[in-house]
């Protein structure tokens, strides 16, 4: 999964995780947002909540990271998102 996963911060804590996951999926599938096919999306509880999104192709993750601004619009409220690379740390048992 290395190189295909990004961490997203700035999620609305007041909304249910499943609704946030749906909105994130829509946002990051759109080509205008640099997105593409998603292999896995997990919303992790906070505080503050964040999400890990793994894309099918590493090029999609790179496009997402290259974009200057990601804003999630939910019900008229705009949430600026912080998108950073996610490095998966392996334990010695997983190597």
């Amino acid at each position: 999964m290395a190189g295909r996963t990004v961490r997203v911060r700035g999620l609305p804590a007041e909304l249910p995780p499943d609704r946030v996951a749906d909105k994130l999926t829509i946002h990051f599938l759109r080509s205008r947002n640099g997105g593409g096919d998603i292999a896995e999306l997990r919303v992790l509880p906070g505080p503050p909540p964040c999400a890990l999104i793994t894309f099918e192709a590493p090029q999609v993750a790179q496009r997402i990271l290259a974009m200057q601004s990601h804003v999630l619009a939910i019900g008229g409220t705009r949430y600026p998102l912080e998108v950073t690379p996610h490095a998966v740390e392996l334990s010695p048992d997983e190597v």
Side-chain angles (χ1 to χ4, degrees):
M1 285 191 203
R4 297 186 308 140
T5 303
V6 298
R7 178 181 296 270
V8 181
R9 293 184 176 97
L11 305 178
E14 67 275 9
L15 296 177
D18 58 337
R19 181 155 185 232
V20 172
D22 290 346
K23 295 295 186 179
L24 286 172
T25 299
I26 292 166
H27 178 84
F28 287 108
L29 277 173
R30 288 188 175 144
S31 59
R32 73 174 182 195
N33 296 326
D37 292 334
I38 296 171
E40 181 182 17
L41 188 149
R42 290 186 293 153
V43 176
L44 306 174
C50 70
L52 296 178
I53 304 173
T54 302
F55 295 95
E56 293 287 341
Q59 300 90 335
V60 176
Q62 295 310 308
R63 282 195 314 259
I64 293 288
L65 292 168
M67 292 195 69
Q68 295 296 319
S69 168
H70 289 280
V71 177
L72 192 64
I74 302 176
T77 304
R78 296 171 55 86
Y79 300 92
L81 301 177
E82 176 190 351
V83 182
T84 57
H86 176 66
V88 179
E89 295 183 17
L90 297 177
S91 73
D93 296 333
E94 295 176 318
V95 176

